[in-house]
Amino acid sequence: MKAPVAPAPDAPVFRTRITELFGIRHPVLGGGLMWLSDARYVAALVNAGAMAFMTPRSYPDLAAFRQALRDCAEQTQGRPFGVNLTQSRRASENAWMHAWIDLALEQGVRHFETVGPSPGALFDRIHARGGIVIHKSAFVEHALKAQEAGADAVALVGTEAGGHPGTNELPAFVLGALALPRLRVPLALGGGIGSGRQLAAALALGADAVLMGTRFLVCDEVWAHDDYKRHLAAQPAEASTLALRSTGNPWRVLHNATVRETRRMESAGANQYADFGTLATGRLGRDRGYAEGDWDTGLLSMGPAVGFADAVEPVHRVMDRLMADAMQGSVRLAALMSAAGA
Ligand SMILES: Cc1cc2nc3c(=O)[nH]c(=O)nc-3n(C[C@H](O)[C@H](O)[C@H](O)COP(=O)(O)O)c2cc1C
């Protein structure tokens, strides 16, 4: 069999329902990253052919979020970019949800990633003004409910996913394989994905895209301190662990001194977020881990896909390699079939 001709680095390699729905070159979604998916990061992924989602909750007020949307629009020069709408368990933290949606729509955003219970009302508000929604969850049943409520696509994230994968303990590929026969809408699969071979495998499984977070944390365009990113780039997959399991809302993070401290507190009976005080707040990680590079302090969202990162480098280089490896993975399948005479 002839060796495949490598496409130009930014040429489309795969066309899927999600590349069509999101107007993107590559079937790769950069999930919202609290504190980190700002205009520069989102624009870098979008300009490299993916879709990515800004997190409005990371901004102190609506004016700051509006400015970030404008900056992103300028940096992406008309390419679509998205907004993440994470519904908090604390109702008071969702007070600006409708304002975030309206503001994003006013600024021309059409692509949204929703997370959290009963998202139907959010879908209606977004659809009424021509928007498109992918709903992310960690349970097949939740994905099916979102489909019934009108989601345009769903994302399923396995227990490997950095951040809050819920109480689900199933890996991404089990969730995907179980869900696909029951889904009509396209599926993006996430959790632990950091190589192009996994992208090819997800497409072979029947997914229309992958959704990634951790693999991009070491990129130049992430504003976190260089010491933090260099530390992550040196970590193996095993450096990721689930913290705060006792609370029923576990958090997949970098294993560090804060995790050890929360475990000591759990052995002494702590089992509510409030029991851990400032240790369980995202702000501690933002101020010490991200801003100062003190990777031992704070619960710092990160999954085992960190094992695929070995250098701090620009987003486009990670994306180029991802797509080249995905193509090699697909070529391997085709070669195996042709060897069998299929
Ligand atoms: C640093 C970090 C912050 C995150 N913050 C959010 C968030 O605010 N909202 C959200 O929906 N998902 C959040 N996630 C989850 C990602 O959007 C995505 O679902 C996940 O990273 C995919 O799994 P992976 O980390 O194994 O690639 C976060 C993940 C990381 C690593």
Side-chain angles (χ1 to χ4, degrees):
M1 190 179 169
K2 262 184 162 179
V5 180
D10 59 355
V13 183
F14 304 105
R15 183 173 169 177
T16 73
R17 290 183 294 170
I18 285 187
T19 60
E20 297 294 292
L21 196 61
F22 286 84
I24 49 181
R25 288 197 304 279
H26 301 311
V28 176
L29 310 180
L33 307 178
M34 185 63 183
W35 307 124
L36 298 177
S37 51
D38 60 3
R40 183 171 175 231
Y41 168 79
V42 167
L45 267 172
V46 163
N47 292 336
M51 166 56 63
F53 303 92
M54 297 180 71
T55 43
R57 201 181 288 289
S58 303
Y59 295 91
D61 53 38
L62 291 175
F65 178 47
R66 180 186 291 112
Q67 187 55 49
L69 291 169
R70 286 186 178 149
D71 292 346
C72 197
E74 199 180 307
Q75 291 172 44
T76 48
Q77 299 176 346
R79 295 185 187 92
F81 65 93
V83 164
N84 169 285
L85 301 167
T86 301
Q87 300 190 77
S88 169
R89 289 182 175 214
R90 287 186 291 269
S92 62
E93 294 205 1
N94 298 325
W96 289 351
M97 190 59 77
H98 288 173
W100 288 329
I101 296 174
D102 295 348
L103 189 55
L105 287 162
E106 256 165 56
Q107 296 294 317
V109 172
R110 288 293 170 271
H111 298 90
F112 294 85
E113 174 192 44
T114 55
V115 184
S118 311
L122 302 185
F123 298 169
D124 293 345
R125 197 171 188 96
I126 291 165
H127 285 151
R129 289 174 64 187
I132 287 170
V133 195
I134 182 161
H135 183 74
K136 181 168 71 179
S137 64
F139 289 91
V140 172
E141 291 309 320
H142 295 172
L144 295 172
K145 274 193 191 154
Q147 167 173 270
E148 291 321 308
D152 302 286
V154 293
L156 274 168
V157 288
T159 181
E160 313 96 318
H164 293 277
T167 49
N168 158 58
E169 295 191 1
L170 297 179
F173 276 77
V174 174
L175 290 177
L178 288 171
L180 277 159
R182 302 171 70 190
L183 285 172
R184 296 183 310 275
V185 299
L187 169 72
L189 201 56
I193 294 178
S195 81
R197 298 286 172 142
Q198 289 165 295
L199 166 54
L203 297 179
L205 189 74
D208 280 275
V210 290
L211 181 130
M212 296 166 54
T214 294
R215 175 63 187 90
F216 297 124
L217 291 177
V218 299
C219 287
D220 285 339
E221 295 86 349
V222 170
W223 68 262
H225 199 287
D226 262 354
D227 289 354
Y228 180 65
K229 294 193 282 189
R230 277 198 292 265
H231 180 70
L232 291 198
Q235 297 309 301
E238 292 79 4
S240 165
T241 190
L242 270 181
L244 307 187
R245 288 181 106 129
S246 63
T247 64
N249 183 19
W251 194 344
R252 185 168 280 289
V253 295
L254 169 69
H255 203 321
N256 64 7
T258 299
V259 173
R260 286 191 289 279
E261 179 58 22
T262 58
R263 296 225 163 113
R264 271 193 294 275
M265 294 166 84
E266 283 176 304
S267 0
N271 61 11
Q272 308 286 318
Y273 265 64
D275 297 341
F276 301 93
T278 53
L279 290 187
T281 61
R283 276 166 209 276
L284 181 65
R286 179 194 64 179
D287 296 344
R288 299 289 299 277
Y290 299 160
E292 293 176 10
D294 170 10
W295 42 264
D296 232 356
T297 305
L299 293 178
L300 297 156
S301 297
M302 189 203 81
V306 76
F308 295 105
D310 56 7
V312 178
E313 58 188 342
V315 160
H316 74 80
R317 212 172 289 154
V318 176
M319 281 292 295
D320 287 352
R321 222 170 30 247
L322 195 77
M323 297 317 299
D325 288 349
M327 204 179 67
Q328 291 300 323
S330 317
V331 166
R332 177 168 192 271
L333 270 190
L336 293 176
M337 288 180 70
S338 110

